[in-house]
Amino acid sequence: MRASRSKQLGLYLVVLIGALIILVPFYMIIVNSFKGIRESALFGMGLPTEWLMSNYEKVFEQGNILRGFKNSFLLAGLTTVCVNLFASMAAFVIQRRNDRWMRSLYMTFILGLIVPVSIVPTIRLMDMLGIKGTYFSMIMYYTAVLLPFSVFLLVGFMKQIPRELDEAALMEGASFFQLYTRIILPLLVTVLVTVSIVVIVSVWNDFFGPFYLVTDSTKWTIVLQIFNFVSLYNTNWGVVFAFMVIVVSPVLLIYLVLQRYIIDGLTAGSVKG
C-alpha cells in the first residue's frame, strides 16, 4: 500500500512538472502582452508596472488581423471537410476489403506519418499544375499532409464496426455508397470530431506551409500576420505577445470545449469490441 501511494505521488509530481512546463510560457506571453515596449523586451515573468490595453488595440488597427482570421478559417474549414471525406472513404475501403493491395495502400499511408514533407518538389508540382499560391493549392497540401494520420485513426476505429451491419444493409438492397453514407459514416462521428480538431489545430498553427507556398500577402494566414509587427531593428514585443494571445485563443477554446472527444476518438480503436 505504501509503495502504491509513493508511486501515485511520483506520478502526480511528474504530471505537475509537465503542466508547469506547458503553462509557464503561456503565463509569460499573457503577462508581457500588457507591458510597454521596454518592459516587454526583458521577457520577464513579473506583473507589468502598468497594464496596457493599447497593445491589443494596435494589433487590430495595424495587423490586418481580420483578413488573417478569414484566411485561416477558410483553409482550416475546407481542409477539415476534405480530410474527413477522403480519409473516411479510404479507411472504409481499406478495412473492409483487407486484401494484399489494400494492405499495401494502408502501409503507404503509414509511411506518410514518417516521411517528412519536401517543400521544393511541392512548389515545383504546384507550379507545373498552375495552382501555386492559390487557396486550392494550400487546401490540397494540408489534405495530403494530414491524410495519413486520419486514415490510421479511422482504420483502427472501423475494426470495431461489425461486418454483419454491412451484410445486413447489402441484403436489404443498399448500395455500397448508401452503406457508407447511411451506416458507416454516422458511426464514425466520434473519431471524425477528433480528426477535425487535429486538422484545425495543425492548419491554424502552421507557419512554414503558408510561408513557403503563398506569395500573395493578402492570402496570408493569421500566423503569418506576425510579420507586420516584427522588424530587424525595432520590435514591440508587447504587441507581438498580444498578437500571440489573440491567435492562440480560438484554437485553445475549441480544444478546451472538445477535449473529451479527442480522448474518446484516440482510444476508441484501441479496444477490440
Side-chain angles (χ1 to χ4, degrees), residues 46-67:
L47 296 176
T49 54
E50 181 183 0
W51 294 80
L52 301 176
M53 291 299 298
S54 58
N55 292 334
Y56 289 88
E57 295 173 359
K58 289 178 182 178
V59 170
F60 283 97
E61 290 173 358
Q62 305 172 14
N64 294 320
I65 195 168
L66 296 180
R67 186 172 64 194

Side-chain angles (χ1 to χ4, degrees), residues 68-85:
F69 270 122
K70 184 203 74 172
N71 292 333
S72 290
F73 277 119
L74 178 67
L75 291 179
L78 293 179
T79 302
T80 301
V81 173
C82 290
V83 170
N84 281 335
L85 179 63

Side-chain angles (χ1 to χ4, degrees), residues 33 52 69 74 76 99 113 165 170 177 192 205 213 241:
S33 68
L52 301 176
F69 270 122
L74 178 67
D99 55 22
L113 294 170
L165 289 177
L170 294 174
F177 182 74
L192 286 178
N205 291 336
L213 302 177
F241 286 129

Side-chain angles (χ1 to χ4, degrees), residues 17-231:
I17 294 173
L20 288 175
I21 293 174
I22 295 173
L23 292 176
V24 166
F26 277 105
Y27 168 79
M28 188 192 74
I29 291 172
I30 293 173
V31 167
N32 282 281
S33 68
F34 294 98
K35 295 180 179 179
I37 183 171
R38 292 185 178 180
E39 195 174 4
S40 61
L42 299 175
F43 298 92
M45 301 291 290
L47 296 176
T49 54
E50 181 183 0
W51 294 80
L52 301 176
M53 291 299 298
S54 58
N55 292 334
Y56 289 88
E57 295 173 359
K58 289 178 182 178
V59 170
F60 283 97
E61 290 173 358
Q62 305 172 14
N64 294 320
I65 195 168
L66 296 180
R67 186 172 64 194
F69 270 122
K70 184 203 74 172
N71 292 333
S72 290
F73 277 119
L74 178 67
L75 291 179
L78 293 179
T79 302
T80 301
V81 173
C82 290
V83 170
N84 281 335
L85 179 63
F86 298 151
S88 59
M89 289 192 295
F92 173 60
V93 175
I94 289 171
Q95 206 283 320
R96 283 316 193 231
R97 286 187 58 179
N98 196 29
D99 55 22
R100 184 179 64 179
W101 298 108
M102 290 300 105
R103 286 194 291 271
S104 299
L105 180 61
Y106 181 60
M107 291 307 300
T108 303
F109 278 110
I110 297 301
L111 285 175
L113 294 170
I114 306 170
V115 179
V117 178
S118 184
I119 292 295
V120 175
T122 301
I123 296 174
R124 178 60 178 164
L125 177 62
M126 290 180 177
D127 192 34
M128 292 173 60
L129 295 174
I131 60 174
K132 181 181 176 182
T134 63
Y135 290 120
F136 176 74
S137 66
M138 289 302 302
I139 293 168
M140 290 299 99
Y141 164 76
Y142 283 125
T143 300
V145 170
L146 296 168
L147 263 180
F149 171 77
S150 305
V151 171
F152 171 75
L153 203 62
L154 286 163
V155 168
F157 181 84
M158 283 196 61
K159 291 178 181 179
Q160 294 189 51
I161 302 176
R163 292 177 179 268
E164 287 77 6
L165 289 177
D166 303 11
E167 296 170 359
L170 294 174
M171 289 179 64
E172 291 294 329
S175 64
F176 284 103
F177 182 74
Q178 290 173 327
L179 170 63
Y180 165 73
T181 55
R182 298 185 180 181
I183 306 292
I184 301 299
L185 205 55
L187 296 175
L188 297 177
V189 171
T190 300
V191 70
L192 286 178
V193 171
T194 303
V195 170
S196 299
I197 297 170
V198 172
V199 170
I200 290 171
V201 172
S202 300
V203 175
W204 190 276
N205 291 336
D206 184 45
F207 178 86
F208 292 103
F211 179 74
Y212 288 113
L213 302 177
V214 178
T215 55
D216 186 358
S217 61
T218 62
K219 296 177 182 177
W220 279 0
T221 59
I222 188 65
V223 174
L224 283 182
Q225 298 296 338
I226 195 170
F227 281 119
N228 293 316
F229 308 106
V230 178
S231 62

